[in-house]
Amino acid sequence: MLPRTLGIETSCDETAVAVLDAEGRVEFNCLSSQVAEHAPFGGVVPELASREHLKALPMLVERALEGAGGSPELVAVTAGPGLVGALLVGVRFAGAFAWGRELPLVAVDHLDGHQVSPFLDLEGGPARELPERVLALVASGGHSAWYSTESGETRRLCRTRDDAAGETFDKVAKVFGLAYPGGPVVDRLARRGSAAAAFFRQPRLKDGSNDFSFSGLKSAAIREIRARGLEGVGEHDAGSDALDLLASFESAVVRQLLGPLPDFFAKYQPQVITASGGVAANTLLRECLAEEGRRFGVEVILPPLGLTTDNAAMIARAGQLAWAGGRCADARRLDAWTRKVWHPPGMRRSPTEVGSENAGECS
Amino acid sequence: MNEVEVIISSDSGATETVGERLARRLSPGDVVLLEGDLAAGKTTFIRGLVRGLGGDPESVTSPTFVIVQTYDCNGPISFVHHIDLYRLPEDPSALREIGIEEILADENAVIAVEWPRDLLVDWLPANATPLRVVLTRRPDDARKIEIFPV
């Protein structure tokens, strides 16, 4: 039995709070942008300001305590990577909450959170157990990377060298005159276009690594948009040429994300393949992954659409699993990790390292 | 240095080299403001800058989502703070909320800002030497890079 867990996520725009029960059932899951009185901008303006997190967090936690099936027995909080001021609000709040209630506290890596999101259910079911070997794609507005997990040890296999996949959607959409965030609207429009209209070359890195590079694709797509006179065309005036170009661009992003999959599959022999992060909501990516799963004869698990973007349910689940592995932080000493959001390959600090820095016993 | 420098860069490797060369002229506390449209090469330029300051160019990625990234460097300049204001709300207080005062006051660092705002200059410490770098994409896809003092 795992402890009922309160999850807190403030690493970037969203203030998110969730409660998971002993079996990882989502008892409560809420984002500040979903709360009417807290979304005067309709969730469009990013909630970067620490004070916005500070305003939303106590209110969301109060709702969580009312909505959950019982008192939390563990607190899990995102400690990085992210914007340091925003992270600190969550970390300090979680620390004070845990200390005041004498609860254990677990620091969670935001990316570990995304990786467990496919195993959660939003229909009231328990969380699925993680298989021994998982191959995981995380693709969002801020991150794009493949991970391999083997017997609880996670390694990053590749990452983006420049822009994140979701960011590329946002920026290309902007040049088209489409709404922010770009992912959902590009997805919708690209379904009506033909991806054969334009061909975007896949980047080849000089060192031959599997790393992504989306900056060249962004640049090429913007060049095509301008060359075809489609700058600022907008959703309602998008004709077949715009729809085709969007479909071609989307297909290039998806091809690149899935490019290293055959290599990684052969090398790590995963029992399941997962995808998470906002880009995991993309229809083409979901279809292509399902097809790869059939080809390799392996199950593909995707998060419920409500848990692809940042949320606290995934943080609570990653926290539960870390707690089960004996990793806890000292509620009085936990700090947000660092301003640096990317660590060089193999250098990404794990909750284990945070534990040793902020050493504490699980109570 | 009061003269505008104009360089034509044929590809991203050349843009990176221009950034690397600029690094040699920088002192701790210097601020570099990068202007240019989407895909003009701002992050590429900063990758060169970080390489020139003895940092790991591979660690340089787009900070659009997280707004601020910091890279370790090697030498009298210990860090590069890489700031991207693209997503930041126009509200002047948003700058304070990301800790801009603290970052700009870091005397051991070079601060590189993408999508800068006029307002930013008011926040600079009196002794800071802001440089403007303007990147423009030409029809032939080469980039014109202009470097001039504010």
Side-chain angles (χ1 to χ4, degrees):
Chain A
M1 286 283 274
L2 294 170
R4 172 176 280 112
T5 304
L6 172 71
I8 294 176
E9 152 73 38
T10 62
S11 71
C12 215
D13 299 353
E14 283 279 14
T15 315
V17 173
V19 179
L20 264 56
D21 79 1
E23 290 172 275
R25 258 184 216 89
V26 181
E27 291 187 328
F28 178 89
N29 180 49
C30 194
L31 306 176
S32 57
S33 60
Q34 294 169 338
V35 182
E37 64 263 39
H38 202 78
F41 309 106
V44 176
V45 174
E47 227 176 73
L48 297 160
S50 315
R51 74 173 166 206
E52 293 300 318
H53 285 299
L54 204 52
K55 270 193 266 175
L57 195 48
M59 176 185 75
L60 288 181
V61 169
E62 204 171 304
R63 288 185 183 203
L65 296 177
E66 284 164 15
S71 289
E73 300 148 313
L74 173 71
V75 182
V77 63
T78 307
L83 188 62
V84 72
L87 283 167
L88 277 172
V89 172
V91 164
R92 294 281 184 253
F93 187 97
F97 186 91
W99 190 60
R101 293 188 173 222
E102 298 184 4
L103 300 177
L105 175 70
V106 180
V108 174
D109 184 316
H110 182 75
L111 295 155
D112 290 340
H114 274 303
Q115 287 173 64
V116 299
S117 66
F119 300 95
L120 292 173
D121 183 40
L122 276 181
E123 311 284 326
R128 282 181 62 167
E129 295 292 322
L130 261 64
E132 275 288 286
R133 296 186 309 282
V134 182
L135 195 55
L137 171 68
V138 179
S140 65
H143 309 280
S144 302
W146 277 99
Y147 298 88
S148 163
T149 299
E150 223 163 328
S151 315
E153 286 295 312
T154 300
R155 295 206 294 156
R156 190 172 71 198
L157 307 178
C158 73
R159 53 139 196 167
T160 180
R161 296 276 180 100
D162 37 58
D163 297 8
E167 176 186 353
T168 314
F169 275 115
D170 290 338
K171 290 187 169 169
V172 168
K174 182 169 173 125
V175 179
F176 262 111
L178 303 173
Y180 177 90
V185 60
V186 171
D187 189 353
R188 201 161 58 237
L189 296 178
R191 303 280 71 73
R192 290 155 47 201
S194 157
F199 182 76
F200 292 108
R201 225 162 12 106
Q202 293 293 317
R204 204 167 282 143
L205 296 172
K206 281 178 201 145
D207 56 10
S209 96
N210 276 312
D211 280 353
F212 303 128
S213 170
F214 288 105
S215 152
L217 173 61
K218 171 184 71 180
S219 186
I222 292 173
R223 188 169 56 232
E224 280 298 315
I225 295 167
R226 290 188 177 145
R228 296 170 188 221
L230 296 169
E231 191 167 0
V233 63
E235 181 167 359
H236 299 293
D237 294 325
S240 62
D241 45 354
L243 299 176
D244 288 352
L245 191 53
L246 280 167
S248 308
F249 159 71
E250 180 198 56
S251 143
V253 175
V254 171
R255 267 186 293 136
Q256 188 174 160
L257 287 173
L258 299 185
L261 179 55
D263 270 10
F264 292 157
F265 184 83
K267 194 161 173 198
Y268 298 100
Q269 296 291 311
Q271 292 149 305
V272 300
I273 300 171
T274 68
S276 56
V279 180
N282 177 272
T283 308
L284 182 67
L285 181 77
R286 290 174 93 95
E287 284 172 9
C288 290
L289 260 178
E291 200 175 307
E292 293 289 69
R294 284 192 292 274
R295 182 155 78 100
F296 294 125
V298 65
E299 188 184 5
V300 171
I301 309 178
L302 299 164
L305 283 174
L307 295 180
T308 51
T309 49
D310 291 352
N311 65 84
M314 67 183 195
I315 301 303
R317 184 59 181 166
Q320 280 187 325
L321 298 175
W323 179 89
R327 297 203 302 257
C328 275
D330 183 334
R332 287 159 300 180
R333 291 174 53 206
L334 179 66
D335 213 339
W337 294 349
T338 165
R339 280 205 180 132
K340 284 172 239 170
V341 296
W342 271 130
H343 300 282
M347 291 287 288
R348 187 164 70 91
R349 294 170 80 190
S350 64
T352 324
E353 287 172 71
V354 172
S356 61
E357 216 169 84
N358 302 281
E361 291 291 308
C362 287
S363 48
Chain B
M1 180 158 11
N2 295 310
E3 282 180 23
V4 181
E5 241 180 285
V6 182
I7 304 137
I8 303 299
S9 156
S10 56
D11 58 26
S12 61
T15 300
E16 211 175 305
T17 306
V18 179
E20 190 174 348
R21 280 213 311 268
L22 179 71
R24 289 188 212 135
R25 313 207 310 240
L26 297 177
S27 313
D30 280 352
V31 177
V32 183
L33 308 176
L34 289 109
E35 297 168 26
D37 214 345
L38 287 171
K42 298 181 291 296
T43 299
T44 305
F45 187 95
I46 292 170
R47 183 169 296 126
L49 200 76
V50 169
R51 183 197 299 277
L53 295 174
D56 176 13
E58 305 257 302
S59 64
V60 180
T61 55
S62 166
T64 296
F65 194 69
V66 289
I67 321 290
V68 185
Q69 282 183 152
T70 297
Y71 316 113
D72 290 323
C73 295
N74 215 337
I77 295 168
S78 328
F79 308 102
V80 171
H81 298 303
H82 184 183
I83 306 177
D84 187 338
L85 302 180
Y86 180 75
R87 256 165 31 97
L88 204 70
E90 284 297 328
D91 177 4
S93 68
L95 276 173
R96 183 180 280 132
E97 293 292 339
I98 65 163
I100 197 84
E101 285 165 293
E102 214 178 293
I103 297 166
L104 290 173
D106 188 344
E107 287 174 1
N108 301 313
V110 157
I111 295 100
V113 187
E114 297 190 38
W115 303 97
R117 296 168 188 185
D118 295 345
L119 202 69
L120 200 65
V121 179
D122 300 341
W123 294 87
L124 297 177
N127 57 345
T129 327
L131 274 171
R132 263 175 82 214
V133 176
V134 180
L135 297 107
T136 319
R137 189 174 186 170
R138 303 197 318 181
D140 64 357
D141 221 31
R143 267 61 164 180
K144 182 172 78 172
I145 306 174
E146 296 162 284
I147 303 176
F148 39 130
V150 171

